[in-house]
Amino acid sequence: MRKIKLVEVRSEIAAGTRGASLGVDALKIASLDKKSNFFTQFDPINVPDANNFLWKGNKHPHAKYIDGVYQVLKNVYSTIESLRLEKKFPIVLAGDHSTAAGTIMGIKAAHPEKRLGVIWIDAHADLHTPYTTPSGNMHGMPLAMVAQLDNLECKVNQPLAETLSYWEKIKKIGGDSPKIDPRDVVFISVRDTEEPEDFLIKKYGIKNFSTAEVRQLGISKVAQEALQTLKDCDQLYISFDVDSLDSSISVGTGTPVPNGLTVEEAIQLNAELIKDKRVCCWEIVEVNPTLDTENTMAEIAFDVLEITTKSLVDNF
Ligand SMILES: [Mn+2]
C-alpha cells in the first residue's frame, strides 16, 4: 500500500499571470461542490511560498523573481526529500510549474543512486534558461534547472550577474550534479515550444508524444511506450500541467494552447501511467481560478486528481 501524502505548494511567482496560487484552494472548492471526501482521506502538508516577493517588484528581467523562486524551491525540495525518506508517496498540488524542479530535486536527494525518469504532460517543454527565455517567467525553466542546462548555444539574453548567481544556486539545490539526464524525460502533448527548446529536444532526442500521436496510438499504447522509453530508470515522476488540456477546456490556466488533450484522455493517461510501480510522485499544476468562470478548470483538474489517486490506491 502506498502511503500517500498531499503536498500543497501555493507558489505563483514564476508564472506570468497572477492567480495560480489560488489553484490548490480552487481544487478544494471543486471537491466540496462535487461532494467528494478526497481531502479528508490524506493528511496535507503546506510548503511555505515566497509570493510576498511579488510586492517588492522584479529586479531580474530574464528570470523574474529568481530570488523568491530560489527560496520556494529550497522549501519544496526539503519537504519532498523528507517525505521520500519516510517512504511516502507525495501527491503535489502546486501553483506555477517552476516548483516541479524542487519536487524533482527532493526525489533525487532522497535516493541519489536511483536513476530518475520524468513524464512531463504539458503544452510547454519548460526547458528555457535565463539565457534563452523570451518572457523571463521561470515556470518555463524547471527542466533546465534539474538537468543543469544553460543552453548557451542558443543564448539570446544577457542576464545580470546577480541573476546568474541565483541561477547557479538553484541548479545546485540538492547537490551539485544533474538530477536527471534530459534523455530520461518523456513529453506528452508538448506543442508550444521556442527554438532554443527545440534545439535541446533535438540534441537530447527527447521523445514527445504529440496530441495527434496520442489519438492515433490510443492511451494504453502511449502509456506503454512512454514507460518503455524510460525502461532504464529506477524511479519515475509524473508532472501534469493542466495546460496540456486543449485551450477550449483549459480556460482557467495562465497559458492555454490549442490542440491539446481532452479531459478523458488526460484522466486515462494519468490513471494508466501511475500504475507503474516505479512511479514515486505525481504532481498537478497551473490551475488559475481567476481566469475562469464557475471554477471549471479546477473541477476538471479535480477529476484528474481524484481518479489518478484512486488508480494508485487500487493498484497498490
Ligand atoms: Mn508547464
Side-chain angles (χ1 to χ4, degrees):
M1 209 180 101
R2 296 278 205 235
K3 291 183 279 180
I4 294 171
K5 186 83 175 172
L6 288 185
V7 180
E8 304 177 356
V9 188
R10 289 175 181 76
S11 175
E12 68 162 76
I13 34 170
T17 314
R18 299 281 59 82
S21 60
L22 304 171
V24 176
D25 296 297
L27 286 168
K28 292 188 178 178
I29 300 298
S31 87
L32 286 170
D33 281 339
K34 287 168 180 276
K35 306 201 182 338
S36 162
N37 66 348
F38 181 86
F39 284 98
T40 66
Q41 293 176 53
F42 315 102
D43 263 352
I45 182 168
N46 181 56
V47 179
D49 61 61
N51 294 333
N52 59 309
F53 278 74
L54 288 166
W55 300 104
K56 302 183 193 172
N58 171 45
K59 296 194 273 299
H60 303 273
H62 301 302
K64 291 179 187 162
Y65 303 103
I66 192 169
D67 36 3
V69 171
Y70 174 58
Q71 258 187 32
V72 72
L73 286 182
K74 279 195 298 181
N75 296 343
V76 174
Y77 144 74
S78 62
T79 303
I80 299 294
E81 182 191 26
S82 310
L83 292 176
R84 288 300 300 142
L85 288 172
E86 294 163 18
K87 299 191 167 45
K88 302 264 170 60
F89 187 110
I91 291 195
V92 187
L93 317 177
D96 80 69
H97 212 168
S98 72
T99 59
T103 307
I104 292 171
M105 291 157 181
I107 295 170
K108 184 65 181 176
H111 299 285
E113 75 291 354
K114 290 191 179 171
R115 182 164 163 186
L116 174 57
V118 172
I119 301 180
W120 200 261
I121 309 167
D122 197 325
H124 309 93
D126 294 348
L127 277 168
H128 271 297
T129 78
Y131 299 101
T132 67
T133 171
S135 68
N137 299 325
M138 294 195 77
H139 67 165
M141 307 186 191
L143 286 174
M145 295 170 185
V146 294
Q148 294 193 330
L149 301 174
D150 289 333
N151 198 6
L152 294 173
E153 294 99 321
C154 302
K155 178 176 173 174
V156 281
N157 304 322
Q158 189 68 260
L160 301 170
E162 204 196 341
T163 306
L164 292 176
S165 115
Y166 276 110
W167 177 248
E168 292 308 313
K169 286 202 282 189
I170 282 174
K171 287 188 297 177
K172 287 180 184 131
I173 297 172
D176 186 16
S177 53
K179 283 66 193 183
I180 58 160
D181 184 322
R183 294 167 194 88
D184 292 336
V185 175
V186 169
F187 286 137
I188 299 180
S189 204
V190 168
R191 58 196 185 277
D192 185 15
T193 56
E194 277 87 31
E195 239 171 75
E197 293 179 301
D198 295 336
F199 172 83
L200 292 174
I201 291 168
K202 196 159 175 240
K203 178 175 177 183
Y204 295 107
I206 303 176
K207 174 69 191 156
N208 177 31
F209 292 92
S210 68
T211 307
E213 225 172 330
V214 169
R215 246 148 247 172
Q216 205 175 20
L217 293 170
I219 296 298
S220 12
K221 189 89 180 114
V222 169
Q224 199 188 323
E225 285 190 18
L227 295 166
Q228 177 64 21
T229 307
L230 302 175
K231 63 178 184 320
D232 296 329
C233 294
D234 308 306
Q235 49 181 1
L236 302 177
Y237 157 73
I238 302 170
S239 215
F240 177 69
D241 188 325
V242 296
D243 68 25
S244 59
L245 292 160
D246 188 72
S247 52
S248 63
I249 307 160
S250 60
V251 175
T253 192
T255 50
V257 183
N259 301 317
L261 302 174
T262 66
V263 180
E264 294 70 28
E265 286 165 343
I267 287 175
Q268 282 179 34
L269 185 61
N270 282 289
E272 192 64 37
L273 289 170
I274 209 164
K275 289 182 195 169
D276 190 290
K277 63 177 189 311
R278 296 170 297 162
V279 177
C280 66
C281 179
W282 185 85
E283 178 151 8
I284 184 166
V285 301
E286 297 279 1
V287 173
N288 183 339
T290 69
L291 303 170
D292 215 346
T293 48
E294 309 284 333
N295 209 26
T296 309
M297 182 81 265
E299 292 196 358
I300 290 164
F302 178 72
D303 288 342
V304 180
L305 168 65
E306 187 172 47
I307 296 168
T308 303
T309 307
K310 189 173 184 306
S311 174
L312 179 67
V313 172
D314 289 350
N315 280 280
F316 295 98

